Every structure is written in C-alpha cells, then in structure tokens.
Amino acid sequence: MNIRELARDLSAVCAPYVFGIPGGGPSLSLMDGLEREGARLFTTRFEGAAAMMAGTIGRLSGKPGIAVSIKGPGLVNQVPGLAFSLLEAYPMLAVAEAYTSSIPLAKAHKRLDHQAVASGVTKARRFWSEKGPNVRALAAYASMETPGPVLLDIADAPIADDAPLPMPEGLPENFGLLDRVARAERPLVIAGTLAIRAGWSQALAKLAIPVFTTAAAKGLIDEALPHAGGVYTGVGLELAPERALLPECDLVVGLGLRTNEVLGAGLKVPAVNLDPLGSQASWGFDFEASGPADFGALHQILANRLWGQDRIATARAQLESRLREGGFLPACAFRAVEQRFGGQCRVVLDTGYFCTIGEHACHSRRVDLFLGSGQARDMGAGVPMALAAALYDPSVPTVLAIGDGGIGMYAGELCLAVEHNLPLLVLFMTDGGFGSIRPRAQKLGLTQNPLIMKDPKWLKVFGGMGFSVHRVNGVASLEAALADWTGRGPLFIEAAFDAGPYQAMVQGIRD
Ligand SMILES: Cc1ncc(C[n+]2csc(CCOP(=O)(O)OP(=O)(O)O)c2C)c(N)n1
C-alpha cells in the first residue's frame, strides 16, 4: 500500500473536507492524494482549530472529517480539538506523521510519545498498517456510539500490523422499558444527541407530548412546534420551561439522556432511558429502566398520548416576556437576527451568558441550523465550528454569537472566512469582560481584575482582516447593520451591552 491508496481509502469513508497544517513529509503527500480524490483542503493557523473543524464536519455530515498534522508538536497542537470532538461526540479522523517503533531512538527530532498524547483525548490510536485495522474500520470506530476522534499515525509506508480495535459488547434489548412507558399517561421526552445520530427527528416531530432536547441536540425537532419544550439542562430555574413541565409529567422518557449532555444530572420524577450504552453514560440519573429498545415500538406508545401543549405555550410566553426586559441585551439581538433571516440562518453559540440566553431565545428549526458546545462548554470553539459549518453549507448564512472571552482564541482562523468569502456573521457580544464569571467574584469579594477586558480592539482587527464591520449599541443600529448585509462575504458586528443588566439577564432562567 502507498500513500495514494491510503488517500483513496480515506476518501471512500470520510467527508471530503481536510483541515490542518502539513509538513514536508507524508502529511503533505497525503493532502496531495486527498485533493486528487476530490477533497477540499483548508490550511488552518492552528492544528487545534483544524481538529475542531474536522469534528464539526463529522457532526454535520455524519461522516468523519479529517485533520492532518505533523508529528510531535503538530499532534500536540491538535489536542484541544481532539478533546473538543471527544466531549462533543463528533466523529473525526486525526492523521499525524509519526515515527515507527523501528526508527532508532537516536533520531529524536520532534519525537514525542503519541500514544501518551492521544490517550486521554481520542477513542483509539492506531498506526497505518498492512494487516491491522484499516481505514474503513477506523472511520466506523470514530462514528460508532459514542462518536469521537480516532488518531491514525502515518509514516512514508505502512507498518506490518497493529492491534485490533476493542469492540464493546452489545446489550440485550430492555423490554421492561417499553412496559413502563406503556403504563405512563403523561410521558415527557428528553432527547440527547443520540436521537440525531439515530435519525429519530421526524418521528419525534409528529408527537403530541412535550419533547425537550439537551443543548447539544437543539433543533432535533422544530422548536416552533407546539409540543417543543426547548432545551433541558437540569439546572433551569423558574422561568425555564423544564421547571414548569417536568413536575406535571408522570414519566420522563430519555432518548440517550446522558450525563455529559446536561449541566445537572438526576431527576425528581420517575424516568427511563433508551440508550444502546445502557447506564454506562448516564451516571447520576436513577432510571427505572435503561438500555437498548425498539424505537418504533416506543414511538407507537408515545404517539397515543396527548398533553402539555397549553402548559408549554404558557411557559414559553413567560420566558419570552422575561427575555424582553432590560433594554438592549443578547435576547434582542437574537430576535433581530431571527427576523432578518426569517429563521433561515444557522446560529452558532460560543460559551458565556449570551449562550445561556441564546439556547432559550433562538428557535432552531433543524439540527444543522444550530451548533453550540453543549457538552464541552469549550469557550472559543465557536469560531472553528462556525467556519466549518459555513464552509460545509454556505446556502444559509451562519451567525456566530461570541463574547469577550472566546473571540480571541481562534480569531486568526477567521482569515478563512475572508479567503472563501463566506456568508458568516460574527456577532461579537461585549459587556467588557467575563459577565458569566463576575457575579461569583462579586458575591465572594474576589478579585475582578482577571475578568475585565477593557476597550476591545477587535473591530479594527477584523476590519484589517477584510471583514465588513459595524459597531452597534441598540436594536435600531443592529437592524440597520443586518439589513445592509447581502450575505456575500463575512461581516463583523460589535454589539455593546451594559454590564449590569447583562449580568442580571439570566436570573430566573438558569443557575
Ligand atoms: C476553554 C475554556 N476556558 C475557560 C472557560 C471558563 N469560562 C466559561 S464562560 C467564561 C467567560 C466567558 O466570557 P465571555 O465570552 O465574555 O462571555 P460572558 O461571560 O461575558 O457572557 C469562561 C472563562 C471555558 N468554558 N472554556
């Protein structure tokens, strides 16, 4: 086997998007081979962003994206993106140049222990080999429950063999789960990202009982539907629809309701969970029954129940009126965006209080029209996510909401938006610091110095990079800036909010 054949094999099973930074060795030969096979190549400024972008492509396309790096420091730079993809359950293949074990230790240039580097942030690492797991097996491994990153180390030629991949044992179907659901009169569904991967979206849209999703699965059903409860986090306060609806159900039916998709595990009502992993991924929840079960049979039972739509309407109206309080704040900005694009835009949320608001204020229609770091809550990852999404599907504008904390981390990557003239709006929501962290400092009398970011200079930076730029401080100026945008080429809008009302805006909504 040679590198051209490796590229052909990778092209057959991966999405045709390759991100990374090659060196002069096999990484470049591989990128050349992948391009010849029809893949699009994107050189990033940092390998960590490349791994995040490859993972995001995996989430959107269902096939692993590819991130390429050199050995040693190149792989180490991929680590933030591998951790992100692992935590978000995004399938991707990381490909790194590597030393084979037969190369004498005297050759030490860039030499690091790849197994040690990869062990905490990937599902598996294997060397490109003649007889070991092939590329098809590695891609399938990245995609199987729970999806995540797999590292493929490569040299100029494959090694002879590598160890087989450890396969999990399948669990027997849990029939008790269906019996329990059949006895419920007012069941309520909370669906995790498993439901996206399993393709249950349309079936759930047809139900007439409350359906919530985890933040990472937002958009699984059209959130304008009367039975859509919105996002469930486990820590919602009195104005979050979860607080109004859960006490009124007689059974929560989890669909892949996993601990790392919520902010607080545990429920105060009886619950079951359909999950091929059984209880492995849902520690902290006390399910009466959990395990694999026939979704078709479960759906038939749920389709015969009807309740909760009036209650959802009331809860949503209460939340909406709270979101309208306090003057110009992120909720107004999300409404302006929604109106400008009639819901036909993709919203990407970075991490901060604007994200807490956005998760409740934005009504997502489809699962590909919302991205957030719902599991990792990885500040800064919004930039690579938004870029990958805009490259993957430029047919709708992508709107990235990001704050003072996340904007700088991967800002250099946004050169790609200019180079590719992407329909990407960076909506920079600034309150002059880490608004979501400051309340704790204030409460405990801790220093606020590390939490304040004075006079952001990003408008000039993005203008210099080639973005159209606007600074807005109210709904009218924001609407004018949005109306101006044709969607051809990237736009940067700095929206400035008063720190006081900004910090108060989540009260009653989320802990
Ligand atoms: C990679 C990473 N580092 C640090 C954090 C901790 N963290 C969570 S929110 C936040 C501040 C976010 O600030 P900003 O983007 O300004 O949003 P705001 O809090 O003002 O809403 C920080 C530092 C994180 N979630 N991820």
Side-chain angles (χ1 to χ4, degrees):
M1 223 194 320
N2 59 36
I3 291 218
R4 278 302 304 278
E5 288 164 323
L6 174 65
R8 204 167 301 148
D9 290 351
L10 280 166
S11 296
V13 290
C14 293
Y17 295 82
V18 181
F19 303 93
I21 304 183
S27 56
L28 183 59
S29 310
L30 180 69
M31 281 176 121
D32 173 81
L34 288 164
E35 188 173 53
R36 286 168 197 271
E37 293 299 320
R40 297 176 67 194
L41 309 183
F42 302 99
T43 304
T44 56
R45 274 67 187 170
F46 177 57
E47 292 88 342
M52 289 178 182
M53 292 167 83
T56 305
I57 293 289
R59 150 74 160 77
L60 291 170
S61 71
K63 287 178 166 188
I66 301 174
V68 174
S69 73
I70 62 157
K71 61 172 93 71
L75 175 64
V76 168
N77 278 359
Q78 283 208 49
V79 165
L82 299 176
F84 165 82
S85 297
L86 188 74
L87 287 164
E88 296 299 341
Y90 287 179
M92 53 94 49
L93 278 189
V95 186
E97 289 180 6
Y99 283 110
T100 62
S101 55
S102 59
I103 308 252
L105 290 175
K107 210 160 177 215
H109 163 74
K110 290 194 175 66
R111 193 162 190 146
L112 281 175
D113 180 347
H114 278 206
Q115 179 61 40
V117 172
S119 67
V121 288
T122 59
K123 290 179 75 176
R125 170 219 174 222
R126 291 293 180 274
F127 216 103
W128 176 33
S129 68
E130 292 286 0
K131 285 201 337 237
N134 60 23
V135 164
R136 184 172 295 277
L138 294 172
Y141 201 73
S143 296
M144 66 191 266
E145 262 338 286
T146 305
V150 167
L151 170 63
L152 174 65
D153 274 344
I154 61 167
D156 288 322
I159 62 169
D161 200 2
D162 203 346
L165 292 160
M167 287 296 160
E169 276 177 34
L171 297 172
E173 287 220 344
N174 192 319
F175 299 107
L177 191 152
L178 296 182
D179 293 343
R180 180 66 186 88
V181 178
R183 293 202 305 278
E185 283 168 14
R186 292 160 73 87
L188 175 151
V189 171
I190 305 177
T193 57
L194 170 72
I196 303 175
R197 299 187 288 275
W200 295 336
S201 168
Q202 284 186 9
L204 294 171
K206 291 189 194 126
L207 294 178
I209 57 170
V211 175
F212 285 79
T213 69
T214 61
K218 186 173 166 68
L220 174 72
I221 64 165
D222 181 345
E223 292 187 307
L225 288 170
H227 69 292
V231 161
Y232 172 85
T233 61
V235 293
L237 298 180
E238 63 274 15
L239 287 165
E242 69 186 65
R243 274 287 279 271
L245 270 293
L246 257 76
E248 297 192 11
C249 78
D250 60 2
L251 185 71
V252 165
V253 181
L255 300 174
L257 181 53
R258 297 178 178 172
T259 314
N260 69 347
E261 292 195 33
V262 295
L263 295 171
L267 291 160
K268 294 191 183 80
V269 281
V272 297
N273 193 32
L274 190 165
D275 195 323
L277 299 183
S279 52
Q280 228 184 81
S282 49
W283 61 97
F285 285 103
D286 186 17
F287 295 122
E288 287 181 23
S290 81
D294 178 1
F295 176 74
L298 174 72
H299 184 257
Q300 266 184 11
I301 304 170
L302 296 177
N304 280 318
R305 304 289 187 273
L306 169 80
W307 78 279
Q309 299 195 3
D310 296 354
R311 201 65 198 86
I312 286 182
T314 313
R316 275 201 207 161
Q318 277 170 352
L319 176 64
E320 188 57 37
S321 76
R322 169 74 176 90
L323 291 173
R324 284 174 194 277
E325 287 169 15
F328 182 56
L329 286 170
C332 314
F334 289 124
R335 285 289 162 271
V337 165
E338 208 156 65
Q339 272 163 23
R340 166 69 176 81
F341 302 109
Q344 286 307 308
C345 70
R346 175 180 298 103
V347 173
V348 180
L349 299 181
D350 202 66
T351 294
Y353 265 175
F354 58 87
C355 162
T356 306
I357 295 298
E359 284 177 359
H360 290 288
C362 300
H363 299 117
S364 298
R365 297 194 173 173
R366 295 195 317 250
V367 81
D368 62 313
L369 295 185
F370 176 82
L371 289 172
S373 180
Q375 292 170 226
R377 302 277 171 191
D378 191 349
M379 187 180 78
V383 166
M385 273 194 282
L387 277 168
L391 287 165
Y392 178 73
D393 174 20
S395 71
V396 290
T398 293
V399 178
L400 165 65
I402 192 159
D404 301 278
I407 187 75
M409 227 179 254
Y410 299 102
E413 303 299 346
L414 285 161
C415 291
L416 278 171
V418 179
E419 282 160 28
H420 294 274
N421 212 29
L422 294 178
L424 174 65
L425 162 58
V426 178
L427 188 49
F428 173 45
M429 298 190 161
T430 175
D431 63 318
F434 294 173
S436 53
I437 311 278
R438 287 182 70 187
R440 183 168 177 270
Q442 285 157 353
K443 195 170 146 200
L444 301 180
L446 305 176
T447 174
Q448 293 200 37
N449 292 336
L451 311 176
I452 290 169
M453 295 192 146
K454 283 194 203 113
D455 188 18
K457 299 283 191 297
W458 295 109
L459 196 88
K460 283 187 194 148
V461 172
F462 283 97
M465 280 164 74
F467 277 64
S468 304
V469 294
H470 289 271
R471 179 176 281 138
V472 303
N473 54 10
V475 176
S477 53
L478 174 59
E479 283 175 351
L482 290 171
D484 249 16
W485 191 41
T486 59
R488 268 177 259 117
L491 171 67
F492 178 86
I493 298 179
E494 178 180 303
F497 305 113
D498 287 340
Y502 184 89
Q503 282 175 44
M505 71 188 169
V506 298
Q507 279 169 13
I509 298 175
R510 184 124 12 120
D511 222 355

